[in-house]
Amino acid sequence: MTQSVRPVSLTQYLVEIQRDKGLIPGELRLLLEVVARACKRISLAVSKGDLAGMLGEAGTDNVQGEAQKKLDVIANETLLEANEWGGHLAAMASEEMEGVYSIPHRYPRGEFLLLFDPLDGSSNIDVNASIGTIFSVLLLPEGVTEPAVEHFMQPGTRQLAAGYAVYGPSTLLVLTVGDGVAKFTLDKETGSWTMTGNHLRVPDETGEFSINMSNARHWHPPVCRYVDELLAGRDGPRGKDFNMRWVAAMVGDVHRILCRGGIFMYPRDTREPDKPGKLRLMYEANPMAFLVEQAGGAATNGTQRIMEIQPTGLHDRVAVFLGSRNEVERVTAYHREN
Ligand code: AHG
Ligand code: MN
Ligand code: MN
């Protein structure tokens, strides 16, 4: 008879990391639990969809000039409300807010900084495709009492934790605190996050790539060369066929890569020469790079490790190449040769 194994909850996982391994302080564990609770609420809102008027435009633009969807705004508010009173945070920053959100003085303040992309993959909302939430945790520099933008300007190597939730066929939470990558599935009957994977690994080799091909005419030569070689398949220099997938939500593409490998690319291109890519460093690229590296993969902007980039603003953009190590190293080498 096989012995049934009791499922491990998110709380148990974090308590073990805090108490038994001593890898995170108790306050960080509590903060991560609050973030997970907020993601649960967002998941509920997402799943109600049209029934609760969740779809469609909010009628406003965010700081980056993008039209906000109702769910962008709802997810942002859910994360702010859930996190502002717990006493673990000094401040928050979000894709949907121009500046720093300091914890109101009526609440106790903690020592952490939380960054998030409340709703990733906004263009998928109205077509019922996968979307998610991405987050990153930093430490407020010592001695600072009034957190400001400058205190968030820390490279990704200083992240204490990072993760994402995917609102897809299942709701998942994928998390790292620097001890590998663990995956939890939301049990919608009991409301608990149950571990459904630990020590996720991105294979070094892959036959799958992810890029928005409609931008091909705007790419720079190293990206053209790399993708042309993939497209040439077994008759080309790579000597094998590659498959392509594009979810249009980074969470979806990164999650697939954490499950079975692949390379995800959002390069800078010639459309807006001054703009270094589309994705945002602080709350998209850095947390995803931390997760992918913790799973044995790599993440660069074409020339530099993403997590070593010194940020200059909350909404800095960056080119992204991440996933299976051998492919990321190859496309990075093509940039360097260029
Ligand atoms: P967001 O919805 O938070 O603005 O992010 C969307 C991002 C990313 O998730 C995705 O990989 C990419 O934009 C899709 O871009 P295209 O629309 O150019 O395909
Ligand atoms: Mn996003
Ligand atoms: Mn977003």
Side-chain angles (χ1 to χ4, degrees), residues 262-276:
I263 177 169
F264 170 90
M265 295 171 276
Y266 214 118
R268 69 186 302 161
D269 60 37
T270 56
R271 279 175 295 179
E272 291 175 79
D274 295 339
K275 204 160 116 180

Side-chain angles (χ1 to χ4, degrees), residues 66 72 95 117 119-123 212 215 246 248-251 253 264 266 278-280 284:
E66 300 160 339
D72 288 321
E95 179 191 345
D117 174 356
L119 211 295
D120 177 61
S122 302
S123 72
N212 184 340
N215 297 325
W246 185 250
M250 191 189 198
V251 280
D253 285 308
F264 170 90
Y266 214 118
K278 173 181 182 180
L279 299 177
R280 279 60 54 112
E284 289 178 318

Side-chain angles (χ1 to χ4, degrees), residues 33 38 47 112 127 149 156 168 170 174 184 191 238 277 283 297 307 323 333:
E33 297 220 42
S47 64
F112 299 108
V127 296
V149 173
S170 313
V174 175
F184 302 86
R238 302 298 306 273
Y283 42 80
M307 288 211 290

